[in-house]
Amino acid sequence: MKYGYVRVSTSTQNIDRQMEEMLNQEIDEKNIYIDYQSGKDFERESYKRLIKKIKKDDLLIIKSIDRLGRNYHMIIDEWKRITKDIQADIMVIDMPLLDTRIEGNNLVGKFISDIVLQVLSFVAQNERENIKKRQAEGIRIAKAKGIHMGRPNYILPKNYEEIIIKYLNHEIKYKDAMKKLNMSRGTFFKYLRIYKEKCI
């Protein structure tokens, strides 16, 4: 049995291109499972239903490997679960080497697919690490130039000290102090703590 899996990150994204590819593969529409959800993990309703349905010698078709998920280590574990534990096949339309079927000229399909997936995982991991290094280097250079990174510093209201002293002297309640300072509860108590530490 052929199954198709289609995923987009949000309900506003278009699935037409993926659906067209699935129908070109002659998959019955009732066997196409669709998720409008992030690929950060496999906790997706349609995907979970698909995995319960799929069985030995079935074929799962996806347009591209990132439709399965965006974390390559998780994808490899899921790939093994489908191809080794369930003993079903996977075919990735956009990458013909990722086709585990053993038929015709594809005599070493499962072996080649496993290697390709490992290489993709290695490349993706390296890219993530390089991005982190570039970000760290960019932050270091910006700090050396005196450029402030992150959120802008919060500027306290001009009447902050006057109001906070009234609060500490029990002249007004904290809700009144927050209102006069136009602060949220979290911001109020954060800067109250800082003010007390400075006064110690």
Side-chain angles (χ1 to χ4, degrees):
M1 184 75 72
K2 284 183 185 178
Y3 292 94
Y5 180 66
V6 169
R7 183 184 69 77
V8 287
S9 297
T10 68
S11 59
T12 58
Q13 289 180 305
N14 200 308
I15 63 168
D16 290 352
R17 193 166 55 91
Q18 291 182 67
M19 283 298 293
E20 185 180 357
E21 294 279 7
M22 295 297 128
L23 297 173
N24 286 343
Q25 296 295 325
E26 298 180 345
I27 304 171
D28 191 318
E29 275 196 66
K30 73 177 190 299
N31 289 333
I32 299 173
Y33 290 75
I34 304 165
D35 274 315
Y36 296 90
Q37 203 171 334
S38 163
K40 65 178 181 176
D41 56 40
F42 290 99
E43 292 301 309
R44 303 172 227 139
E45 290 308 311
S46 289
Y47 184 78
K48 288 194 284 189
R49 288 201 306 274
L50 167 65
I51 291 302
K52 284 180 182 176
K53 188 90 173 174
I54 205 165
K55 59 186 185 299
K56 184 179 178 182
D57 297 328
D58 283 342
L59 174 64
L60 171 60
I61 299 174
I62 53 177
K63 171 139 178 60
S64 57
I65 195 67
D66 63 348
R67 295 306 86 201
L68 200 57
R70 65 185 185 208
N71 181 318
Y72 272 88
H73 294 298
M74 288 169 60
I75 288 172
I76 286 173
D77 290 340
E78 194 66 10
W79 189 276
K80 286 177 182 173
R81 175 158 80 123
I82 294 167
T83 60
K84 305 291 193 297
D85 300 343
I86 299 173
Q87 294 181 43
D89 285 303
I90 304 177
M91 183 186 100
V92 181
I93 296 169
D94 286 353
M95 191 168 287
L97 281 173
L98 288 176
D99 185 346
T100 63
R101 292 173 296 175
I102 301 175
E103 57 182 35
N105 295 323
N106 188 25
L107 297 175
V108 287
K110 283 185 169 62
F111 178 70
I112 293 292
S113 291
D114 287 348
I115 290 175
V116 170
L117 202 59
Q118 292 287 344
V119 170
L120 286 174
S121 176
F122 173 77
V123 170
Q125 183 63 31
N126 269 5
E127 182 57 23
R128 278 194 296 269
E129 288 173 6
N130 286 336
I131 288 169
K132 285 180 183 176
K133 284 178 185 175
R134 289 195 293 270
Q135 286 173 338
E137 184 66 10
I139 290 168
R140 186 189 66 75
I141 291 168
K143 283 183 176 177
K145 289 180 178 179
I147 299 169
H148 176 73
M149 303 298 291
R151 289 183 181 180
N153 290 327
Y154 182 79
I155 299 171
L156 290 170
K158 290 179 181 178
N159 62 339
Y160 178 76
E161 192 165 12
E162 175 196 338
I163 299 297
I164 214 71
I165 288 169
K166 284 184 178 179
Y167 168 72
L168 291 171
N169 289 337
H170 305 290
E171 293 175 30
I172 57 174
K173 297 181 183 293
Y174 84 87
K175 286 184 179 178
D176 295 324
M178 282 165 46
K179 193 173 181 180
K180 288 176 186 293
L181 294 168
N182 194 27
M183 283 181 165
S184 68
R185 189 176 187 279
T187 303
F188 177 79
F189 284 106
K190 174 186 173 181
Y191 285 97
L192 175 64
R193 177 178 52 78
I194 293 169
Y195 181 82
K196 284 180 176 178
E197 287 171 359
K198 283 181 179 177
C199 293
I200 292 171

